[in-house]
Amino acid sequence: MNAASDIRSQATTLTRDLGGPWQPDDADRNLALALVLARDDNGGRLTAPVITHILLSASWGLKPIGAMYQLLACTADVLDDPGQRDSGTGREALAEVNRLLDTVAALPPDGI
């Protein structure tokens, strides 16, 4: 998964499955919260370096095989590619990722 359309599809699926097939844990919530705060500090934009830095410095038990981790690692790849990032599909994918981050960040501690 690294094309913008795959990112959009995966973010949409995770948002839809939230609380059902996908049960985000505190690590997912903390990751989403860190990225929402970083995005807001950066004028409302996520960047590849910000995502990568947060993923690499995460000390809250993220697993590289987790759905959130994989989605955001691939989102960083899309943000690094101006052709994908600036396309209509890229903008839609980033909007969907932001919606997912906002939703997960707003979850109470200890999940749904």
Side-chain angles (χ1 to χ4, degrees):
M1 170 178 60
N2 64 0
S5 59
D6 293 336
I7 301 297
R8 182 184 62 198
S9 176
Q10 182 64 17
T12 300
T13 299
L14 287 176
T15 302
R16 181 192 66 226
D17 291 349
L18 187 68
W22 182 54
Q23 298 285 325
D25 58 17
D26 283 346
D28 295 317
R29 180 186 168 277
N30 290 337
L31 171 61
L33 187 57
L35 286 165
V36 165
L37 293 173
R39 179 193 68 200
D40 293 348
D41 285 346
N42 193 35
R45 291 183 334 113
L46 284 175
T47 64
V50 165
I51 292 172
T52 302
H53 174 75
I54 289 173
L55 290 176
L56 292 175
S57 64
S59 61
W60 46 75
L62 286 172
K63 297 171 186 76
I65 58 169
M68 268 299 264
Y69 187 99
Q70 288 182 340
L71 173 67
L72 290 161
C74 294
T75 300
D77 290 341
V78 167
L79 287 167
D80 265 343
D81 179 350
Q84 288 193 73
R85 179 187 64 225
D86 299 333
S87 70
T89 304
R91 287 189 296 278
E92 290 171 9
L94 294 174
E96 197 62 41
V97 166
N98 280 317
R99 270 191 288 280
L100 175 64
L101 291 173
D102 290 337
T103 302
V104 174
L107 294 174
D110 299 321
I112 298 171

